[in-house]
Amino acid sequence: MPRTIWNGAISFGLVTVPIHVVGATENHSIQFHQYHLPDMGRVRVRKVCELEDREVSQAEIGKGYEYARDQVVPITDDDLRNLPLPTAKAIEIAGFVPLESIDPIRIGDGYYLAPDGQVAAKPYMLLVKALGRSSKVAVARYAWSGRERLGLLRVRGDVLVLHAMRWPDEVRDPSEVEPPQVEVTEEEVDGALALVDSMTREDLEGDEFRDRYTDALAEIIEAKREHQPLPEAPEPEQPGQLVDLMAALQESVQKARTARGEGETAEVHEMPKPKKTAKKQPAKKTAAKKTTARKSRSA
């Protein structure tokens, strides 16, 4: 069972569901420490009191707010647990909305909410069933880590998941990075849609969605540990200069289908080819030919 992060309750109208919160994700990346290179001694960060100039233990360390340069207000864990705020001890559901109405950029880390004991099992499952049948998600408020937060409650299997959400003013206006105005033809859009279709999948399983960076790093660590030659890095494909957008789309579709074992040629519209126009002869040469013709007729 993962470590409990927070204990409290879900407040759903007049229904209260005691829960405890655990992490829903794991980090499998390879972690590094800092070492002194000449002797490979571990380099650690020590916590030192600036006034006493000595290292202090974790038991001597607490939180504080610097009200002024010469005045620090101590804040204890009990102070944070007893905030005069309803959401300090409860995840308070404020309403229900369709999931598609929430911009994914506002959705953050996820946590599993587990019922806290047998008594909480029935109201917990009641909320799970109600959310599942409504096809909606709950928007809630809760207070963690020194601030009130907005959250999204949804169902995964038979378990409630809480996602941290960003407040509206925490999301930057995308107009700051809008691309310059360009014309895109319908043929180019059709070509891009064909590429989307050829790359569409039913799930996110397979080697394409494996953490290749961690695998490659593990190979390097193992090779250095065994004093073996390091694995050679593959040569990256050099992208060519984009001249014909439709040709690039068509080639991309064909590569995607070949990778999936489909041999048929992608049906992508070709870029319209420019019409060839007859070259006009210079006026002087034409006049010369006419003069020659007249002389031959008179002769």
Side-chain angles (χ1 to χ4, degrees), residues 9-267:
I10 301 173
S11 175
F12 173 32
L14 297 179
V15 178
T16 299
V17 187
I19 51 98
H20 58 268
V21 180
V22 299
T25 58
E26 295 178 323
N27 183 4
H28 292 162
S29 359
I30 295 175
Q31 305 295 320
F32 296 107
H33 299 299
Q34 290 185 322
Y35 289 90
H36 182 218
L37 292 178
D39 55 17
M40 295 309 293
R42 180 76 181 274
V43 176
R44 299 181 183 272
V45 177
R46 302 186 183 277
K47 298 180 179 181
V48 176
C49 173
E50 292 182 349
L51 297 179
E52 299 183 15
D53 194 23
R54 69 175 180 87
E55 186 177 351
V56 294
S57 64
Q58 188 60 40
E60 300 176 87
I61 300 174
K63 301 180 182 69
Y65 175 77
E66 186 175 328
Y67 187 81
R69 290 184 63 86
D70 58 350
Q71 184 180 12
V72 176
V73 180
I75 301 294
T76 67
D77 290 338
D78 286 339
D79 293 333
L80 297 176
R81 280 191 292 265
N82 296 311
L83 282 173
L85 194 66
T87 53
K89 296 182 179 179
I91 299 171
E92 190 177 69
I93 295 178
F96 298 87
V97 297
L99 178 59
E100 56 269 20
S101 69
I102 299 176
D103 190 333
I105 199 171
R106 295 184 59 186
I107 302 176
D109 292 338
Y111 305 89
Y112 289 142
L113 307 184
D116 196 0
Q118 185 62 35
V119 177
K122 187 169 184 177
Y124 181 95
M125 188 53 64
L126 177 65
L127 183 54
V128 168
K129 297 293 185 184
L131 275 176
R133 292 190 187 181
S134 69
S135 300
K136 291 183 173 62
V137 295
V139 177
R141 292 172 176 266
Y142 62 99
W144 288 358
S145 305
R147 60 174 296 193
E148 188 175 48
R149 300 169 184 265
L150 201 61
L152 178 151
L153 272 173
R154 68 178 181 91
V155 175
R156 187 168 191 255
D158 284 334
V159 176
L160 291 174
V161 182
L162 172 68
H163 288 277
M165 283 183 63
R166 296 174 179 86
W167 295 99
D169 60 355
E170 292 179 322
V171 179
R172 291 173 176 160
D173 188 347
S175 62
E176 299 176 7
V177 293
E178 283 183 356
Q181 293 296 320
V182 294
E183 292 294 332
V184 178
T185 66
E186 286 300 317
E187 287 81 7
E188 290 167 340
V189 174
D190 289 340
L193 288 174
L195 180 55
V196 170
D197 289 340
S198 67
M199 298 178 68
T200 298
R201 302 176 57 99
E202 295 296 327
D203 53 50
L204 299 181
E205 302 296 330
D207 290 339
E208 301 97 316
F209 304 102
R210 182 181 175 87
D211 183 3
R212 295 179 297 178
Y213 182 91
T214 299
D215 291 344
L217 189 54
E219 289 183 23
I220 290 178
I221 292 172
E222 186 62 22
K224 297 194 79 168
R225 188 179 73 86
E226 297 289 344
H227 303 288
Q228 297 294 327
L230 298 182
E232 294 184 2
E235 288 293 331
E237 293 185 6
Q238 298 294 332
Q241 186 178 0
L242 185 60
V243 178
D244 189 333
L245 183 57
M246 290 306 301
L249 286 170
Q250 188 169 14
E251 183 179 352
S252 300
V253 171
Q254 188 58 43
K255 283 185 176 180
R257 291 189 170 181
T258 301
R260 295 176 60 176
E262 301 176 14
E264 65 268 20
T265 306
E267 296 180 0

